[in-house]
Amino acid sequence: MSPARDQSPQGRRRPLVSGNWKMNFTHLEAIQVIQKLSYALDRGPLATVEVSVHPAFTALRSVQTVLDADEIPVALGAQDVHWEDKGPWTGEVSPPMLAKLGVRYVIVGHSERRQRLGETDEQVSMKLRATLRAGMTPICCVGETAEQRDAGETDQVVLGQLGSALEGVAPAEVATMVVAYEPIWAIGTGRTATPGDAGQVCATLRREVGERWGAEAAAGIRILYGGSVDERNAASLLAGDDVDGALVGGASLDPVAFAAIAAAAAAATA
Ligand code: PGA
């Protein structure tokens, strides 16, 4: 992926607003949602903000067809991937399968997969590297539980997850990647981190990238905030210098709300 594509005309990192549709929408429903989103998105902000949608595997092909046919400037994303290219893995989907469909972004290590489906740090790391190998961009999720936060362990937890996920990844590739800071207690709960806390953790993550992978990687990597982002709180959550956009769950199911979040991200960078 060319770094230039991810820079706004001013040379700042181009914000990314990603809609994680989770286990919602049949492929027919997804077609309607993407068409409504296309109407709702103001093409103006899209010059400075990149938008991606992450349908379920069953809807990827349909959404990709609509995006292509109508030339909708929204990137196609997946919610997960396997780390092997092919083989005896019943039910899994491989990186080349997604790349061939035109998928550009792949969420890896979402807390729902880590916590509810037992995904390990090692698997997250393998998925991340497999995504890069196939020419796609990982959106690597990190985040602490409420207990870890109360115990003052937020930095330690998110830096541990980051270090393990990015182990062995070259600095030039780290520069093209996306990390999403998603405090687990804020996901789907209506509770958000304060803009100050979100900005601080994103800054801590960027500092760590700088220390371990160098200044260029730190300047290039995009760090998103996720966890109950909606059209009302997006502007303040995305205002921090180190917050390069949002990973949006619930509010991304409503095309009008999601478009408003994209517009808020554009305004935050203006
Ligand atoms: P939420 O989900 O916006 O519904 O909290 C965010 C996510 O899980 O990525």
Side-chain angles (χ1 to χ4, degrees):
M1 186 174 69
S2 129
R5 234 177 1 173
D6 302 320
Q7 306 284 317
S8 69
Q10 298 79 29
R12 214 198 137 182
R13 287 180 296 277
R14 190 173 177 199
L16 174 65
V17 175
S18 297
N20 175 9
W21 289 355
K22 306 190 181 181
M23 199 171 71
N24 293 286
F25 303 142
T26 66
H27 71 289
L28 296 175
E29 291 163 340
I31 289 171
Q32 291 184 339
V33 174
I34 197 68
Q35 284 169 335
K36 284 185 190 152
L37 178 62
S38 174
Y39 282 119
L41 280 172
D42 179 349
R43 295 289 192 266
L46 291 181
T48 50
V49 176
E50 194 176 7
V51 174
S52 69
V53 291
H54 300 248
F57 288 135
T58 48
L60 279 173
R61 175 68 165 147
S62 309
V63 171
Q64 179 255 334
T65 304
V66 177
L67 292 177
D68 277 4
D70 296 351
E71 297 183 8
I72 301 170
V74 167
L76 188 62
Q79 299 175 16
D80 187 31
V81 70
H82 196 261
W83 54 84
E84 294 285 344
D85 283 357
K86 60 179 175 177
W89 296 96
T90 302
E92 293 293 321
V93 173
S94 79
M97 293 172 184
L98 295 179
K100 199 76 179 168
L101 272 178
V103 166
R104 179 153 179 221
Y105 290 102
V106 182
I107 297 171
V108 297
H110 192 282
S111 61
E112 285 157 10
R113 300 202 58 84
R114 292 181 191 259
Q115 291 217 306
R116 303 174 68 182
L117 296 162
E119 198 162 293
T120 64
D121 280 346
E122 192 193 1
Q123 289 170 340
V124 172
S125 160
M126 290 192 291
K127 289 177 176 196
L128 187 144
R129 280 177 283 141
T131 299
L132 287 166
R133 261 200 318 275
M136 299 178 292
T137 301
I139 300 177
C140 177
C141 301
V142 300
E144 82 286 5
T145 63
E147 295 72 38
Q148 290 166 331
R149 181 181 188 79
D150 291 344
E153 293 168 359
T154 299
D155 287 1
Q156 186 193 327
V157 170
V158 299
L159 295 180
Q161 288 170 334
L162 181 83
S164 147
L166 297 191
E167 184 74 53
V169 179
E173 288 189 308
V174 173
T176 69
M177 272 194 47
V178 181
V179 168
Y181 167 53
E182 297 208 308
I184 293 168
W185 48 269
I187 294 178
T189 58
R191 290 175 62 204
T192 59
T194 64
D197 284 347
Q200 207 176 349
V201 177
C202 291
T204 300
L205 287 163
R206 192 179 308 284
R207 203 163 40 243
E208 177 84 354
V209 170
E211 279 167 19
R212 294 188 53 179
W213 288 273
E216 276 187 33
I221 193 167
R222 286 180 290 175
I223 304 180
L224 315 183
Y225 170 77
S228 298
V229 176
D230 62 26
E231 66 277 34
R232 289 174 298 279
N233 60 30
S236 56
L237 283 166
L238 304 186
D241 282 348
D242 283 299
V243 186
D244 303 316
L247 180 55
V248 186
S252 75
L253 304 180
D254 173 352
V256 174
F258 187 56
I261 295 170
T269 14

PDB file of all heavy atoms in Angstrom, residues 154-183:
ATOM      1  N   THR A 154      -3.889  -0.179  32.334  1.00  0.00           N
ATOM      2  CA  THR A 154      -4.249   0.065  30.926  1.00  0.00           C
ATOM      3  C   THR A 154      -3.032   0.072  30.003  1.00  0.00           C
ATOM      4  O   THR A 154      -2.983  -0.655  29.002  1.00  0.00           O
ATOM      5  CB  THR A 154      -5.010   1.407  30.797  1.00  0.00           C
ATOM      6  OG1 THR A 154      -6.199   1.317  31.569  1.00  0.00           O
ATOM      7  CG2 THR A 154      -5.371   1.695  29.352  1.00  0.00           C
ATOM      8  N   ASP A 155      -2.031   0.895  30.334  1.00  0.00           N
ATOM      9  CA  ASP A 155      -0.874   1.018  29.432  1.00  0.00           C
ATOM     10  C   ASP A 155      -0.169  -0.325  29.269  1.00  0.00           C
ATOM     11  O   ASP A 155       0.178  -0.737  28.165  1.00  0.00           O
ATOM     12  CB  ASP A 155       0.125   2.055  29.972  1.00  0.00           C
ATOM     13  CG  ASP A 155      -0.413   3.477  29.807  1.00  0.00           C
ATOM     14  OD1 ASP A 155      -1.541   3.628  29.303  1.00  0.00           O
ATOM     15  OD2 ASP A 155       0.303   4.415  30.190  1.00  0.00           O
ATOM     16  N   GLN A 156       0.020  -0.982  30.400  1.00  0.00           N
ATOM     17  CA  GLN A 156       0.720  -2.269  30.373  1.00  0.00           C
ATOM     18  C   GLN A 156      -0.019  -3.275  29.469  1.00  0.00           C
ATOM     19  O   GLN A 156       0.592  -3.974  28.659  1.00  0.00           O
ATOM     20  CB  GLN A 156       0.757  -2.776  31.811  1.00  0.00           C
ATOM     21  CG  GLN A 156       1.532  -4.018  32.073  1.00  0.00           C
ATOM     22  CD  GLN A 156       1.187  -4.537  33.481  1.00  0.00           C
ATOM     23  OE1 GLN A 156       0.914  -3.745  34.401  1.00  0.00           O
ATOM     24  NE2 GLN A 156       1.190  -5.847  33.634  1.00  0.00           N
ATOM     25  N   VAL A 157      -1.338  -3.311  29.567  1.00  0.00           N
ATOM     26  CA  VAL A 157      -2.125  -4.268  28.778  1.00  0.00           C
ATOM     27  C   VAL A 157      -2.069  -3.929  27.290  1.00  0.00           C
ATOM     28  O   VAL A 157      -1.773  -4.781  26.452  1.00  0.00           O
ATOM     29  CB  VAL A 157      -3.600  -4.297  29.260  1.00  0.00           C
ATOM     30  CG1 VAL A 157      -4.484  -5.085  28.296  1.00  0.00           C
ATOM     31  CG2 VAL A 157      -3.680  -4.882  30.660  1.00  0.00           C
ATOM     32  N   VAL A 158      -2.330  -2.671  26.952  1.00  0.00           N
ATOM     33  CA  VAL A 158      -2.399  -2.345  25.519  1.00  0.00           C
ATOM     34  C   VAL A 158      -1.008  -2.410  24.876  1.00  0.00           C
ATOM     35  O   VAL A 158      -0.878  -2.844  23.726  1.00  0.00           O
ATOM     36  CB  VAL A 158      -3.086  -0.980  25.231  1.00  0.00           C
ATOM     37  CG1 VAL A 158      -4.517  -0.988  25.734  1.00  0.00           C
ATOM     38  CG2 VAL A 158      -2.313   0.186  25.797  1.00  0.00           C
ATOM     39  N   LEU A 159       0.024  -2.039  25.628  1.00  0.00           N
ATOM     40  CA  LEU A 159       1.369  -2.126  25.050  1.00  0.00           C
ATOM     41  C   LEU A 159       1.795  -3.583  24.905  1.00  0.00           C
ATOM     42  O   LEU A 159       2.487  -3.950  23.951  1.00  0.00           O
ATOM     43  CB  LEU A 159       2.381  -1.343  25.897  1.00  0.00           C
ATOM     44  CG  LEU A 159       2.151   0.173  25.943  1.00  0.00           C
ATOM     45  CD1 LEU A 159       3.210   0.866  26.797  1.00  0.00           C
ATOM     46  CD2 LEU A 159       2.123   0.776  24.537  1.00  0.00           C
ATOM     47  N   GLY A 160       1.365  -4.419  25.823  1.00  0.00           N
ATOM     48  CA  GLY A 160       1.648  -5.853  25.715  1.00  0.00           C
ATOM     49  C   GLY A 160       0.981  -6.447  24.477  1.00  0.00           C
ATOM     50  O   GLY A 160       1.602  -7.200  23.708  1.00  0.00           O
ATOM     51  N   GLN A 161      -0.280  -6.087  24.261  1.00  0.00           N
ATOM     52  CA  GLN A 161      -1.000  -6.603  23.082  1.00  0.00           C
ATOM     53  C   GLN A 161      -0.362  -6.079  21.791  1.00  0.00           C
ATOM     54  O   GLN A 161      -0.204  -6.826  20.823  1.00  0.00           O
ATOM     55  CB  GLN A 161      -2.472  -6.176  23.138  1.00  0.00           C
ATOM     56  CG  GLN A 161      -3.266  -6.911  24.211  1.00  0.00           C
ATOM     57  CD  GLN A 161      -4.649  -6.304  24.423  1.00  0.00           C
ATOM     58  OE1 GLN A 161      -4.876  -5.129  24.162  1.00  0.00           O
ATOM     59  NE2 GLN A 161      -5.566  -7.111  24.923  1.00  0.00           N
ATOM     60  N   LEU A 162       0.016  -4.807  21.808  1.00  0.00           N
ATOM     61  CA  LEU A 162       0.642  -4.226  20.616  1.00  0.00           C
ATOM     62  C   LEU A 162       1.966  -4.930  20.305  1.00  0.00           C
ATOM     63  O   LEU A 162       2.220  -5.330  19.172  1.00  0.00           O
ATOM     64  CB  LEU A 162       0.895  -2.729  20.844  1.00  0.00           C
ATOM     65  CG  LEU A 162       1.530  -1.984  19.679  1.00  0.00           C
ATOM     66  CD1 LEU A 162       0.460  -1.578  18.668  1.00  0.00           C
ATOM     67  CD2 LEU A 162       2.282  -0.736  20.156  1.00  0.00           C
ATOM     68  N   GLY A 163       2.792  -5.077  21.334  1.00  0.00           N
ATOM     69  CA  GLY A 163       4.112  -5.685  21.141  1.00  0.00           C
ATOM     70  C   GLY A 163       3.994  -7.103  20.613  1.00  0.00           C
ATOM     71  O   GLY A 163       4.722  -7.512  19.700  1.00  0.00           O
ATOM     72  N   SER A 164       3.059  -7.836  21.161  1.00  0.00           N
ATOM     73  CA  SER A 164       2.902  -9.218  20.729  1.00  0.00           C
ATOM     74  C   SER A 164       2.346  -9.283  19.302  1.00  0.00           C
ATOM     75  O   SER A 164       2.804 -10.069  18.474  1.00  0.00           O
ATOM     76  CB  SER A 164       2.001  -9.926  21.739  1.00  0.00           C
ATOM     77  OG  SER A 164       1.238 -10.881  21.131  1.00  0.00           O
ATOM     78  N   ALA A 165       1.402  -8.429  18.970  1.00  0.00           N
ATOM     79  CA  ALA A 165       0.798  -8.463  17.625  1.00  0.00           C
ATOM     80  C   ALA A 165       1.806  -8.056  16.554  1.00  0.00           C
ATOM     81  O   ALA A 165       1.812  -8.595  15.453  1.00  0.00           O
ATOM     82  CB  ALA A 165      -0.422  -7.547  17.574  1.00  0.00           C
ATOM     83  N   LEU A 166       2.666  -7.090  16.878  1.00  0.00           N
ATOM     84  CA  LEU A 166       3.575  -6.540  15.860  1.00  0.00           C
ATOM     85  C   LEU A 166       4.962  -7.171  15.891  1.00  0.00           C
ATOM     86  O   LEU A 166       5.852  -6.733  15.162  1.00  0.00           O
ATOM     87  CB  LEU A 166       3.721  -5.022  16.038  1.00  0.00           C
ATOM     88  CG  LEU A 166       2.469  -4.176  15.857  1.00  0.00           C
ATOM     89  CD1 LEU A 166       2.812  -2.707  15.788  1.00  0.00           C
ATOM     90  CD2 LEU A 166       1.735  -4.580  14.605  1.00  0.00           C
ATOM     91  N   GLU A 167       5.127  -8.182  16.715  1.00  0.00           N
ATOM     92  CA  GLU A 167       6.422  -8.860  16.827  1.00  0.00           C
ATOM     93  C   GLU A 167       6.916  -9.278  15.435  1.00  0.00           C
ATOM     94  O   GLU A 167       6.197  -9.929  14.684  1.00  0.00           O
ATOM     95  CB  GLU A 167       6.223 -10.113  17.705  1.00  0.00           C
ATOM     96  CG  GLU A 167       7.467 -10.886  18.015  1.00  0.00           C
ATOM     97  CD  GLU A 167       8.332 -10.170  19.042  1.00  0.00           C
ATOM     98  OE1 GLU A 167       7.797  -9.832  20.108  1.00  0.00           O
ATOM     99  OE2 GLU A 167       9.529  -9.956  18.742  1.00  0.00           O
ATOM    100  N   GLY A 168       8.102  -8.854  15.085  1.00  0.00           N
ATOM    101  CA  GLY A 168       8.695  -9.307  13.825  1.00  0.00           C
ATOM    102  C   GLY A 168       8.177  -8.602  12.580  1.00  0.00           C
ATOM    103  O   GLY A 168       8.557  -8.958  11.466  1.00  0.00           O
ATOM    104  N   VAL A 169       7.329  -7.600  12.735  1.00  0.00           N
ATOM    105  CA  VAL A 169       6.850  -6.862  11.556  1.00  0.00           C
ATOM    106  C   VAL A 169       7.843  -5.729  11.264  1.00  0.00           C
ATOM    107  O   VAL A 169       8.280  -5.020  12.170  1.00  0.00           O
ATOM    108  CB  VAL A 169       5.429  -6.295  11.789  1.00  0.00           C
ATOM    109  CG1 VAL A 169       4.945  -5.511  10.579  1.00  0.00           C
ATOM    110  CG2 VAL A 169       4.452  -7.424  12.124  1.00  0.00           C
ATOM    111  N   ALA A 170       8.195  -5.579   9.980  1.00  0.00           N
ATOM    112  CA  ALA A 170       9.198  -4.574   9.601  1.00  0.00           C
ATOM    113  C   ALA A 170       8.642  -3.161   9.801  1.00  0.00           C
ATOM    114  O   ALA A 170       7.445  -2.925   9.589  1.00  0.00           O
ATOM    115  CB  ALA A 170       9.576  -4.766   8.143  1.00  0.00           C
ATOM    116  N   PRO A 171       9.512  -2.212  10.186  1.00  0.00           N
ATOM    117  CA  PRO A 171       9.054  -0.835  10.419  1.00  0.00           C
ATOM    118  C   PRO A 171       8.293  -0.242   9.239  1.00  0.00           C
ATOM    119  O   PRO A 171       7.296   0.461   9.431  1.00  0.00           O
ATOM    120  CB  PRO A 171      10.355  -0.069  10.666  1.00  0.00           C
ATOM    121  CG  PRO A 171      11.288  -1.094  11.219  1.00  0.00           C
ATOM    122  CD  PRO A 171      10.937  -2.389  10.541  1.00  0.00           C
ATOM    123  N   ALA A 172       8.728  -0.550   8.010  1.00  0.00           N
ATOM    124  CA  ALA A 172       8.045   0.026   6.839  1.00  0.00           C
ATOM    125  C   ALA A 172       6.603  -0.474   6.759  1.00  0.00           C
ATOM    126  O   ALA A 172       5.715   0.251   6.291  1.00  0.00           O
ATOM    127  CB  ALA A 172       8.799  -0.331   5.563  1.00  0.00           C
ATOM    128  N   GLU A 173       6.376  -1.706   7.217  1.00  0.00           N
ATOM    129  CA  GLU A 173       5.006  -2.234   7.204  1.00  0.00           C
ATOM    130  C   GLU A 173       4.195  -1.672   8.369  1.00  0.00           C
ATOM    131  O   GLU A 173       3.003  -1.388   8.230  1.00  0.00           O
ATOM    132  CB  GLU A 173       5.031  -3.759   7.269  1.00  0.00           C
ATOM    133  CG  GLU A 173       5.503  -4.362   5.950  1.00  0.00           C
ATOM    134  CD  GLU A 173       5.318  -5.863   5.928  1.00  0.00           C
ATOM    135  OE1 GLU A 173       5.782  -6.539   6.870  1.00  0.00           O
ATOM    136  OE2 GLU A 173       4.724  -6.352   4.959  1.00  0.00           O
ATOM    137  N   VAL A 174       4.854  -1.508   9.499  1.00  0.00           N
ATOM    138  CA  VAL A 174       4.158  -0.925  10.655  1.00  0.00           C
ATOM    139  C   VAL A 174       3.625   0.466  10.286  1.00  0.00           C
ATOM    140  O   VAL A 174       2.515   0.850  10.667  1.00  0.00           O
ATOM    141  CB  VAL A 174       5.099  -0.858  11.885  1.00  0.00           C
ATOM    142  CG1 VAL A 174       4.440  -0.099  13.030  1.00  0.00           C
ATOM    143  CG2 VAL A 174       5.489  -2.266  12.331  1.00  0.00           C
ATOM    144  N   ALA A 175       4.399   1.184   9.479  1.00  0.00           N
ATOM    145  CA  ALA A 175       3.998   2.548   9.087  1.00  0.00           C
ATOM    146  C   ALA A 175       2.689   2.564   8.308  1.00  0.00           C
ATOM    147  O   ALA A 175       1.981   3.568   8.303  1.00  0.00           O
ATOM    148  CB  ALA A 175       5.108   3.193   8.258  1.00  0.00           C
ATOM    149  N   THR A 176       2.353   1.464   7.646  1.00  0.00           N
ATOM    150  CA  THR A 176       1.134   1.435   6.816  1.00  0.00           C
ATOM    151  C   THR A 176      -0.072   0.893   7.583  1.00  0.00           C
ATOM    152  O   THR A 176      -1.186   0.904   7.060  1.00  0.00           O
ATOM    153  CB  THR A 176       1.320   0.515   5.593  1.00  0.00           C
ATOM    154  OG1 THR A 176       1.399  -0.849   6.037  1.00  0.00           O
ATOM    155  CG2 THR A 176       2.563   0.877   4.808  1.00  0.00           C
ATOM    156  N   MET A 177       0.172   0.429   8.804  1.00  0.00           N
ATOM    157  CA  MET A 177      -0.867  -0.294   9.539  1.00  0.00           C
ATOM    158  C   MET A 177      -1.841   0.621  10.275  1.00  0.00           C
ATOM    159  O   MET A 177      -1.629   1.809  10.384  1.00  0.00           O
ATOM    160  CB  MET A 177      -0.192  -1.147  10.616  1.00  0.00           C
ATOM    161  CG  MET A 177       0.237  -2.509  10.178  1.00  0.00           C
ATOM    162  SD  MET A 177       0.586  -3.408  11.682  1.00  0.00           S
ATOM    163  CE  MET A 177      -0.860  -3.038  12.683  1.00  0.00           C
ATOM    164  N   VAL A 178      -2.854  -0.019  10.817  1.00  0.00           N
ATOM    165  CA  VAL A 178      -3.824   0.690  11.655  1.00  0.00           C
ATOM    166  C   VAL A 178      -3.942  -0.072  12.979  1.00  0.00           C
ATOM    167  O   VAL A 178      -3.972  -1.309  12.984  1.00  0.00           O
ATOM    168  CB  VAL A 178      -5.211   0.751  10.976  1.00  0.00           C
ATOM    169  CG1 VAL A 178      -6.200   1.521  11.839  1.00  0.00           C
ATOM    170  CG2 VAL A 178      -5.112   1.366   9.582  1.00  0.00           C
ATOM    171  N   VAL A 179      -3.958   0.662  14.075  1.00  0.00           N
ATOM    172  CA  VAL A 179      -4.235   0.081  15.390  1.00  0.00           C
ATOM    173  C   VAL A 179      -5.512   0.727  15.903  1.00  0.00           C
ATOM    174  O   VAL A 179      -5.737   1.921  15.667  1.00  0.00           O
ATOM    175  CB  VAL A 179      -3.066   0.348  16.376  1.00  0.00           C
ATOM    176  CG1 VAL A 179      -3.454   0.014  17.803  1.00  0.00           C
ATOM    177  CG2 VAL A 179      -1.840  -0.456  15.976  1.00  0.00           C
ATOM    178  N   ALA A 180      -6.368  -0.052  16.541  1.00  0.00           N
ATOM    179  CA  ALA A 180      -7.575   0.534  17.142  1.00  0.00           C
ATOM    180  C   ALA A 180      -7.512   0.322  18.650  1.00  0.00           C
ATOM    181  O   ALA A 180      -7.452  -0.822  19.115  1.00  0.00           O
ATOM    182  CB  ALA A 180      -8.829  -0.108  16.566  1.00  0.00           C
ATOM    183  N   TYR A 181      -7.508   1.434  19.383  1.00  0.00           N
ATOM    184  CA  TYR A 181      -7.598   1.336  20.839  1.00  0.00           C
ATOM    185  C   TYR A 181      -9.071   1.254  21.205  1.00  0.00           C
ATOM    186  O   TYR A 181      -9.828   2.216  21.015  1.00  0.00           O
ATOM    187  CB  TYR A 181      -6.936   2.538  21.516  1.00  0.00           C
ATOM    188  CG  TYR A 181      -7.285   2.610  22.987  1.00  0.00           C
ATOM    189  CD1 TYR A 181      -7.074   1.500  23.814  1.00  0.00           C
ATOM    190  CD2 TYR A 181      -7.867   3.751  23.547  1.00  0.00           C
ATOM    191  CE1 TYR A 181      -7.436   1.527  25.153  1.00  0.00           C
ATOM    192  CE2 TYR A 181      -8.219   3.791  24.884  1.00  0.00           C
ATOM    193  CZ  TYR A 181      -8.004   2.673  25.676  1.00  0.00           C
ATOM    194  OH  TYR A 181      -8.378   2.695  27.002  1.00  0.00           O
ATOM    195  N   GLU A 182      -9.466   0.100  21.709  1.00  0.00           N
ATOM    196  CA  GLU A 182     -10.871  -0.115  22.067  1.00  0.00           C
ATOM    197  C   GLU A 182     -10.973  -0.636  23.492  1.00  0.00           C
ATOM    198  O   GLU A 182     -10.836  -1.847  23.720  1.00  0.00           O
ATOM    199  CB  GLU A 182     -11.500  -1.147  21.124  1.00  0.00           C
ATOM    200  CG  GLU A 182     -11.532  -0.716  19.685  1.00  0.00           C
ATOM    201  CD  GLU A 182     -12.688  -1.377  18.948  1.00  0.00           C
ATOM    202  OE1 GLU A 182     -12.818  -2.615  19.005  1.00  0.00           O
ATOM    203  OE2 GLU A 182     -13.473  -0.648  18.350  1.00  0.00           O
ATOM    204  N   PRO A 183     -11.175   0.264  24.461  1.00  0.00           N
ATOM    205  CA  PRO A 183     -11.355  -0.221  25.826  1.00  0.00           C
ATOM    206  C   PRO A 183     -12.575  -1.148  25.870  1.00  0.00           C
ATOM    207  O   PRO A 183     -13.650  -0.771  25.386  1.00  0.00           O
ATOM    208  CB  PRO A 183     -11.588   1.051  26.643  1.00  0.00           C
ATOM    209  CG  PRO A 183     -11.761   2.170  25.685  1.00  0.00           C
ATOM    210  CD  PRO A 183     -11.323   1.719  24.337  1.00  0.00           C
TER     211      PRO A 183
END
